């Protein structure tokens, strides 16, 4: 407790001192950000800020990127972001994202994580998002975000920002492909007076997928068929020039196979001990009052209620509801202060494990000041207090600094404390093969980031970032001496790594991108179980062509240095290709070939779940 009080005192002193300094800063410094000078992002500081003035590594996937590549879902879009790793369950239904550890997933700033996690330590599944048609942009912030976003934001934050209706428009997307896959999507947006809306609905069906095994044979994954259907609705009613009230509703039903596998991680009917359908229902609803909209310091008051039910050899369900409030103030022309409060409660039940209605409540307060100390310097200190019903009060301070020597360059660094509580399943899940641990301690530690970004010419840029994290009592799932998978605390987990991204526009028709990421993990395990990197060395390559009605994109993602025991092979290389032709302004035809070289690779540690092999798809979109 004394240590926490000392940390709070130090951060308070730092904030007070820097506020005093900011008051005497150069008069040339201004808190106004000219949005036409560069890309504006909102996730890193929770307020609109020019990317080059933000002391963080921020990657953006735009609606144009999604449409150009005809990405089927958020997971496919994030697959091509440097430093990001996607892992799937055996049938591809449980899509989770990893960024150097745990991360928070948001939709318009609304938290999707819940208190039923998985062995991958992820507690947010991207399949909750029914359609990419309604996405304006995806912002990926790499580095600890616990000061603003709390538990889970150890490795980063993914914020999915939905579209605002700009015109009355309807789009139909129809496609078919390998493995008896058929997808039908409808998207509509419009406005009438002060009311605007977006509606997206989709029906997706797929039979068993095929994959390339480690022996080089193409094999069918029996029991991997799935049906994913979803609908989402966003309504917004303007109350005044800078005020509105909005309703968001999203529904998803999944009927997916659970492939048979034996205790050695191989697949197929022979020797299988488990083969059942996995059915999921997810309903998310929220009501948000927004004020000071379209300003540099927007505010909101939100109530949300998220429900997820899973039938997988038994029934799991969790309900997360909460109230979020945020506001911002301009202290003077050099200081922008953001503060907020959150109350979140989860109710989790798992009939397999025999636990019912486990309640976990978190109450949080946070504050952050963005200070322009001089023409080229920005300092961003922040502090968060979380009170967890199971683990008491924790403080998460953070401080970041950004130096902008010229318009096209930024150099930044940050340090932050992190706190990650165990999920309900970490503590209570129990069946014949897995056992939770009610005596777990929460993860705690610190994360540092440093990086540089430079824009050489419009369309040509370089981003380099380095991170270091040191966590105590890191939570992992591993086999005990009897082979039962158990949740446990590691004594210490240390990670460090870097991400390098290069983009260049060669001409109006051609552009390319290259990326490399490296992660090294060291863990001191109490039970001897060690964590393995899902992508120690990651490589990205992209080649893009656009001429008249034609578009073509070649994307490659590769990994090396994997642990063969957990992933089946030391390396993999997967290439995707898509092309489209706009026959008219309304009608576009497209074709995709995913993993067209039919490579063997795994996407989930421990069970060696093989990822899908070669997949072809053709489709069309019509807009009216």
């Amino acid at each position: 407790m004394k240590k926490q009080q000392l940390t709070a005192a130090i951060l308070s002193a730092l904030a007070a001192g820097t506020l005093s300094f900011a008051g005497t800063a150069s008069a040339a410094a201004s808190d106004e950000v000219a949005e036409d000078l560069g890309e504006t992002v909102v996730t890193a500081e929770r307020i609109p800020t020019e990317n080059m003035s933000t002391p963080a590594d921020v990657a953006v996937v735009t609606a144009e990127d999604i449409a150009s590549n005809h990405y089927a879902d958020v997971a496919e879009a994030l697959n091509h972001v440097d430093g990001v790793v996607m892992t799937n369950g055996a049938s591809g239904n449980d899509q989770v994202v990893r960024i150097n550890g745990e991360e928070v997933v948001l939709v318009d700033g609304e938290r999707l994580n819940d208190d039923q996690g998985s062995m991958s330590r992820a507690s947010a599944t991207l399949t909750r998002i029914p359609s990419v048609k309604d996405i304006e942009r995806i912002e990926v912030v790499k580095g600890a975000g616990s000061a603003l976003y709390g538990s889970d934001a150890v490795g980063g934050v993914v914020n999915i920002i939905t579209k605002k209706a700009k015109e009355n428009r309807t789009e139909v997307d129809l496609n078919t492909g390998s493995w008896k896959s058929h997808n039908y999507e409808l998207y509509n947006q419009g406005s009438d007076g002060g009311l605007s809306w977006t509606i997206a609905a989709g029906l997706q069906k797929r039979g068993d997928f095929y994959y390339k095994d480690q022996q080089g044979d193409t094999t069918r994954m029996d029991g991997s068929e799935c049906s994913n259907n979803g609908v989402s609705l966003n309504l917004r009613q303007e109350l005044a020039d800078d005020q509105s009230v909005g309703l968001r509703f999203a529904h998803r039903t999944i009927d997916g196979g659970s492939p048979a596998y034996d205790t050695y991680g191989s697949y197929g009917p022979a020797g299988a001990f488990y083969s059942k359908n996995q059915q999921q229902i997810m309903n998310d609803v929220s009501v948000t009052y927004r004020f000071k909209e379209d300003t540099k310091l927007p505010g909101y008051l939100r109530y949300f209620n998220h429900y997820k039910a899973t039938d997988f050899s038994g029934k799991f369900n969790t309900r997360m509801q909460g109230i979020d409030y945020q506001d911002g103030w301009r202290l003077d022309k050099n200081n922008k202060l953001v503060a907020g409060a959150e109350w979140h409660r989860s109710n989790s039940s798992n009939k397999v494990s025999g636990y019912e209605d486990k309640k976990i409540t978190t109450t949080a307060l946070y504050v952050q000041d963005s200070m322009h100390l001089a023409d080229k310097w920005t300092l961003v200190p922040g502090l968060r207090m979380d009170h967890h019903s199971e683990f008491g009060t924790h403080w998460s301070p953070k401080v970041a600094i950004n130096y902008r020597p010229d318009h096209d360059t930024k150099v930044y660094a940050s340090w932050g404390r992190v706190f990650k509580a165990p999920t309900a399943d970490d503590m209570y899940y129990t069946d014949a093969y897995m056992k939770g641990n009610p005596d777990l301690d929460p993860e705690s530690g610190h994360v540092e980031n440093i990086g540089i970004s430079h824009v050489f010419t419009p369309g040509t840029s370089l981003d380099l970032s380095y991170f270091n994290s040191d966590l105590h009592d890191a939570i992992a799932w591993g086999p005990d001496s009897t082979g039962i998978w158990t949740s446990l605390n590691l004594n210490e987990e240390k990670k460090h790594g870097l991400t390098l991204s290069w983009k260049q526009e060669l001409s109006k028709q051609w552009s390319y991108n290259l990326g490399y990421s490296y992660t090294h993990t060291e863990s001191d395990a109490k039970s001897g179980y060690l964590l393995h990197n899902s992508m120690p060395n990651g490589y990205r390559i992209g080649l893009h062509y656009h001429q008249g009605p034609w578009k073509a994109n070649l994307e490659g993602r590769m990994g090396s240095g994997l642990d063969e025991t957990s992933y089946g092979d030391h390396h993999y290389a997967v290439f995707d290709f898509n092309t489209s032709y706009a026959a008219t302004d309304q009608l576009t035809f497209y074709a995709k070939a995913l993993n067209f070289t039919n490579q063997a690779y795994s996407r989930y540690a421990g069970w060696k779940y093989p990822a899908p092999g070669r997949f072809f798809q053709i489709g069309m979109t019509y807009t009216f």
Side-chain angles (χ1 to χ4, degrees), residues 225-438:
E225 75 285 347
C226 65
S227 173
N228 297 346
N229 305 320
V231 62
S232 63
L233 169 67
N234 275 300
L235 291 175
R236 180 174 296 210
Q237 175 65 55
E238 291 184 8
L239 303 178
D241 290 342
D242 62 349
Q243 299 177 43
S244 70
V245 61
L247 168 70
R248 186 181 83 86
F249 171 74
H251 168 75
R252 168 74 84 176
T253 60
I254 298 176
D255 186 356
S258 177
Y261 54 84
D262 62 26
T263 55
Y264 301 100
S266 60
Y267 296 86
F273 69 82
Y274 201 87
S275 181
K276 267 200 167 187
N277 279 351
Q278 175 175 296
Q279 296 177 330
Q280 290 184 324
I281 297 175
M282 290 172 276
N283 292 316
D284 297 340
V285 62
S286 64
V287 178
T288 304
Y289 167 65
R290 297 178 176 89
F291 53 95
K292 296 192 296 185
E293 283 193 285
D294 301 320
T295 71
K296 302 300 179 184
L297 294 163
Y300 62 85
L301 174 65
R302 173 188 293 125
Y303 168 77
F304 68 88
N305 192 318
H306 300 165
Y307 176 76
K308 178 175 70 176
T310 302
D311 189 345
F312 182 65
S313 135
K315 293 188 177 180
F316 316 52
N317 67 76
T318 181
R319 182 181 300 278
M320 173 71 78
Q321 58 181 321
I323 299 173
D324 297 340
Y325 171 77
Q326 179 178 298
D327 199 358
W329 302 269
R330 181 179 297 147
L331 302 182
D332 56 44
K333 66 181 180 180
N334 298 311
N335 285 269
K336 292 182 292 185
L337 189 71
V338 175
E342 298 173 352
W343 176 85
H344 296 170
R345 169 170 288 177
S346 70
N347 296 65
S348 300
S349 298
N350 190 322
K351 292 187 178 180
V352 175
S353 301
Y355 73 78
E356 296 283 341
D357 198 28
K358 290 291 185 180
K359 292 184 175 66
I360 297 177
T361 304
T362 302
T363 305
L365 300 172
Y366 63 86
V367 62
Q368 179 172 277
D369 192 7
S370 297
M371 299 175 285
H372 292 272
L373 303 182
D375 290 341
K376 300 178 180 180
W377 292 90
T378 303
L379 182 67
V380 185
L383 179 64
R384 181 185 182 96
M385 184 278 293
D386 282 286
H387 181 75
H388 194 280
S389 58
E390 299 285 332
F391 300 102
T393 301
H394 292 262
W395 297 86
S396 302
K398 181 178 180 179
V399 63
I401 191 164
N402 193 83
Y403 173 61
R404 193 171 180 181
D406 56 58
H407 176 266
D408 298 317
T409 308
K410 75 171 181 179
V411 182
Y412 58 89
S414 65
W415 171 91
R417 299 287 300 178
V418 296
F419 161 70
K420 162 64 176 167
T423 66
D425 280 354
D426 286 333
M427 293 186 285
Y428 307 117
Y429 188 97
T430 302
D431 63 18
Y433 313 103
M434 298 170 59
K435 184 179 180 180
N437 181 0

Side-chain angles (χ1 to χ4, degrees), residues 544-558:
H544 314 283
Y545 173 78
H546 183 195
Q547 174 65 46
W550 287 97
K551 292 181 181 179
N553 300 280
L554 175 66
E555 301 275 5
R557 59 188 189 278
M558 294 137 277

Side-chain angles (χ1 to χ4, degrees), residues 568-588:
D569 206 344
H570 292 296
H571 55 81
Y572 65 86
V574 180
F575 291 90
D576 302 331
F577 175 77
N578 65 75
T579 185
S580 62
Y581 175 74
T584 67
D585 290 341
Q586 291 78 36
L587 180 62
T588 298

